[in-house]
PDB file of all heavy atoms in Angstrom:
ATOM      1  N   ASP L 420      24.326  50.374  54.032  1.00  0.00           N
ATOM      2  CA  ASP L 420      24.234  51.500  54.938  1.00  0.00           C
ATOM      3  C   ASP L 420      23.951  50.986  56.410  1.00  0.00           C
ATOM      4  O   ASP L 420      24.495  51.568  57.351  1.00  0.00           O
ATOM      5  CB  ASP L 420      23.105  52.371  54.481  1.00  0.00           C
ATOM      6  CG  ASP L 420      23.493  53.366  53.367  1.00  0.00           C
ATOM      7  OD1 ASP L 420      24.635  53.376  53.065  1.00  0.00           O
ATOM      8  OD2 ASP L 420      22.545  53.797  52.777  1.00  0.00           O
ATOM      9  N   TYR L 421      23.151  49.958  56.556  1.00  0.00           N
ATOM     10  CA  TYR L 421      22.622  49.682  57.918  1.00  0.00           C
ATOM     11  C   TYR L 421      23.122  48.327  58.585  1.00  0.00           C
ATOM     12  O   TYR L 421      23.076  48.118  59.724  1.00  0.00           O
ATOM     13  CB  TYR L 421      21.101  49.668  57.969  1.00  0.00           C
ATOM     14  CG  TYR L 421      20.595  51.082  57.575  1.00  0.00           C
ATOM     15  CD1 TYR L 421      20.075  51.325  56.290  1.00  0.00           C
ATOM     16  CD2 TYR L 421      20.781  52.132  58.471  1.00  0.00           C
ATOM     17  CE1 TYR L 421      19.569  52.640  56.026  1.00  0.00           C
ATOM     18  CE2 TYR L 421      20.218  53.489  58.145  1.00  0.00           C
ATOM     19  CZ  TYR L 421      19.601  53.592  56.891  1.00  0.00           C
ATOM     20  OH  TYR L 421      19.184  54.907  56.584  1.00  0.00           O
ATOM     21  N   ILE L 422      23.557  47.363  57.680  1.00  0.00           N
ATOM     22  CA  ILE L 422      24.112  46.143  58.205  1.00  0.00           C
ATOM     23  C   ILE L 422      25.631  46.264  58.296  1.00  0.00           C
ATOM     24  O   ILE L 422      26.186  45.909  59.409  1.00  0.00           O
ATOM     25  CB  ILE L 422      23.533  44.897  57.355  1.00  0.00           C
ATOM     26  CG1 ILE L 422      22.070  44.731  57.417  1.00  0.00           C
ATOM     27  CG2 ILE L 422      24.345  43.636  57.779  1.00  0.00           C
ATOM     28  CD1 ILE L 422      21.539  43.619  56.618  1.00  0.00           C
ATOM     29  N   PHE L 423      26.169  46.460  57.155  1.00  0.00           N
ATOM     30  CA  PHE L 423      27.735  46.601  57.186  1.00  0.00           C
ATOM     31  C   PHE L 423      28.209  47.912  57.483  1.00  0.00           C
ATOM     32  O   PHE L 423      29.384  48.054  57.904  1.00  0.00           O
ATOM     33  CB  PHE L 423      28.268  46.011  55.790  1.00  0.00           C
ATOM     34  CG  PHE L 423      27.750  44.677  55.463  1.00  0.00           C
ATOM     35  CD1 PHE L 423      26.810  44.388  54.643  1.00  0.00           C
ATOM     36  CD2 PHE L 423      28.391  43.530  56.165  1.00  0.00           C
ATOM     37  CE1 PHE L 423      26.371  43.073  54.281  1.00  0.00           C
ATOM     38  CE2 PHE L 423      28.072  42.273  55.896  1.00  0.00           C
ATOM     39  CZ  PHE L 423      27.047  41.917  54.974  1.00  0.00           C
ATOM     40  N   GLY L 424      27.544  49.021  57.282  1.00  0.00           N
ATOM     41  CA  GLY L 424      27.843  50.343  57.721  1.00  0.00           C
ATOM     42  C   GLY L 424      28.954  50.953  57.090  1.00  0.00           C
ATOM     43  O   GLY L 424      29.489  52.036  57.631  1.00  0.00           O
ATOM     44  N   SER L 425      29.262  50.692  55.800  1.00  0.00           N
ATOM     45  CA  SER L 425      30.334  51.344  55.159  1.00  0.00           C
ATOM     46  C   SER L 425      30.182  51.101  53.699  1.00  0.00           C
ATOM     47  O   SER L 425      29.857  50.077  53.181  1.00  0.00           O
ATOM     48  CB  SER L 425      31.786  50.770  55.577  1.00  0.00           C
ATOM     49  OG  SER L 425      32.761  51.328  54.760  1.00  0.00           O
ATOM     50  N   PRO L 426      30.333  52.191  52.914  1.00  0.00           N
ATOM     51  CA  PRO L 426      30.264  52.169  51.478  1.00  0.00           C
ATOM     52  C   PRO L 426      31.200  51.100  50.852  1.00  0.00           C
ATOM     53  O   PRO L 426      30.849  50.450  49.803  1.00  0.00           O
ATOM     54  CB  PRO L 426      30.610  53.519  51.003  1.00  0.00           C
ATOM     55  CG  PRO L 426      30.215  54.496  52.079  1.00  0.00           C
ATOM     56  CD  PRO L 426      30.606  53.666  53.281  1.00  0.00           C
ATOM     57  N   GLU L 427      32.300  50.925  51.475  1.00  0.00           N
ATOM     58  CA  GLU L 427      33.362  50.080  50.985  1.00  0.00           C
ATOM     59  C   GLU L 427      32.941  48.572  51.136  1.00  0.00           C
ATOM     60  O   GLU L 427      33.635  47.625  50.567  1.00  0.00           O
ATOM     61  CB  GLU L 427      34.788  50.250  51.553  1.00  0.00           C
ATOM     62  CG  GLU L 427      35.469  51.475  51.049  1.00  0.00           C
ATOM     63  CD  GLU L 427      34.778  52.762  51.563  1.00  0.00           C
ATOM     64  OE1 GLU L 427      34.214  52.742  52.678  1.00  0.00           O
ATOM     65  OE2 GLU L 427      34.842  53.688  50.798  1.00  0.00           O
ATOM     66  N   MET L 428      31.865  48.196  51.924  1.00  0.00           N
ATOM     67  CA  MET L 428      31.475  46.908  52.114  1.00  0.00           C
ATOM     68  C   MET L 428      30.320  46.449  51.203  1.00  0.00           C
ATOM     69  O   MET L 428      29.617  45.420  51.409  1.00  0.00           O
ATOM     70  CB  MET L 428      30.862  46.764  53.639  1.00  0.00           C
ATOM     71  CG  MET L 428      31.938  47.168  54.679  1.00  0.00           C
ATOM     72  SD  MET L 428      33.339  45.920  54.611  1.00  0.00           S
ATOM     73  CE  MET L 428      32.520  44.637  55.578  1.00  0.00           C
ATOM     74  N   VAL L 429      30.116  47.277  50.189  1.00  0.00           N
ATOM     75  CA  VAL L 429      29.011  47.027  49.154  1.00  0.00           C
ATOM     76  C   VAL L 429      29.172  45.614  48.612  1.00  0.00           C
ATOM     77  O   VAL L 429      28.108  44.970  48.220  1.00  0.00           O
ATOM     78  CB  VAL L 429      28.986  48.063  48.122  1.00  0.00           C
ATOM     79  CG1 VAL L 429      30.197  47.993  47.208  1.00  0.00           C
ATOM     80  CG2 VAL L 429      27.686  47.883  47.277  1.00  0.00           C
ATOM     81  N   GLY L 430      30.387  45.026  48.457  1.00  0.00           N
ATOM     82  CA  GLY L 430      30.536  43.674  47.923  1.00  0.00           C
ATOM     83  C   GLY L 430      29.969  42.583  48.835  1.00  0.00           C
ATOM     84  O   GLY L 430      29.261  41.669  48.317  1.00  0.00           O
ATOM     85  N   TYR L 431      30.068  42.750  50.179  1.00  0.00           N
ATOM     86  CA  TYR L 431      29.355  41.900  51.090  1.00  0.00           C
ATOM     87  C   TYR L 431      27.778  41.991  50.947  1.00  0.00           C
ATOM     88  O   TYR L 431      27.102  40.978  51.086  1.00  0.00           O
ATOM     89  CB  TYR L 431      29.856  42.076  52.446  1.00  0.00           C
ATOM     90  CG  TYR L 431      31.256  41.668  52.677  1.00  0.00           C
ATOM     91  CD1 TYR L 431      32.223  42.655  52.580  1.00  0.00           C
ATOM     92  CD2 TYR L 431      31.528  40.268  52.860  1.00  0.00           C
ATOM     93  CE1 TYR L 431      33.577  42.203  52.721  1.00  0.00           C
ATOM     94  CE2 TYR L 431      32.947  39.973  52.938  1.00  0.00           C
ATOM     95  CZ  TYR L 431      33.949  40.946  52.974  1.00  0.00           C
ATOM     96  OH  TYR L 431      35.216  40.600  53.065  1.00  0.00           O
ATOM     97  N   SER L 432      27.325  43.211  50.754  1.00  0.00           N
ATOM     98  CA  SER L 432      25.845  43.446  50.589  1.00  0.00           C
ATOM     99  C   SER L 432      25.387  42.616  49.268  1.00  0.00           C
ATOM    100  O   SER L 432      24.383  41.976  49.228  1.00  0.00           O
ATOM    101  CB  SER L 432      25.541  44.922  50.327  1.00  0.00           C
ATOM    102  OG  SER L 432      25.880  45.578  51.624  1.00  0.00           O
ATOM    103  N   LEU L 433      26.191  42.717  48.114  1.00  0.00           N
ATOM    104  CA  LEU L 433      25.890  42.018  46.995  1.00  0.00           C
ATOM    105  C   LEU L 433      25.880  40.487  47.193  1.00  0.00           C
ATOM    106  O   LEU L 433      24.958  39.777  46.733  1.00  0.00           O
ATOM    107  CB  LEU L 433      26.862  42.370  45.902  1.00  0.00           C
ATOM    108  CG  LEU L 433      26.765  43.754  45.195  1.00  0.00           C
ATOM    109  CD1 LEU L 433      28.047  44.210  44.479  1.00  0.00           C
ATOM    110  CD2 LEU L 433      25.520  43.750  44.239  1.00  0.00           C
ATOM    111  N   LEU L 434      26.839  40.118  47.978  1.00  0.00           N
ATOM    112  CA  LEU L 434      26.837  38.582  48.253  1.00  0.00           C
ATOM    113  C   LEU L 434      25.681  38.088  48.945  1.00  0.00           C
ATOM    114  O   LEU L 434      24.972  37.124  48.580  1.00  0.00           O
ATOM    115  CB  LEU L 434      28.090  38.266  49.056  1.00  0.00           C
ATOM    116  CG  LEU L 434      28.514  36.792  49.384  1.00  0.00           C
ATOM    117  CD1 LEU L 434      29.986  36.710  49.700  1.00  0.00           C
ATOM    118  CD2 LEU L 434      27.711  36.380  50.639  1.00  0.00           C
ATOM    119  N   LEU L 435      25.323  38.865  49.960  1.00  0.00           N
ATOM    120  CA  LEU L 435      24.098  38.495  50.874  1.00  0.00           C
ATOM    121  C   LEU L 435      22.901  38.468  50.089  1.00  0.00           C
ATOM    122  O   LEU L 435      22.121  37.483  50.141  1.00  0.00           O
ATOM    123  CB  LEU L 435      24.084  39.419  52.051  1.00  0.00           C
ATOM    124  CG  LEU L 435      22.868  39.245  53.009  1.00  0.00           C
ATOM    125  CD1 LEU L 435      22.994  37.918  53.756  1.00  0.00           C
ATOM    126  CD2 LEU L 435      22.799  40.552  53.959  1.00  0.00           C
TER     127      LEU L 435
END
Side-chain angles (χ1 to χ4, degrees):
D420 283 345
Y421 298 106
I422 295 178
F423 298 106
S425 170
E427 286 70 32
M428 301 294 281
V429 66
Y431 292 98
S432 298
L433 283 165
L434 184 156
L435 176 67

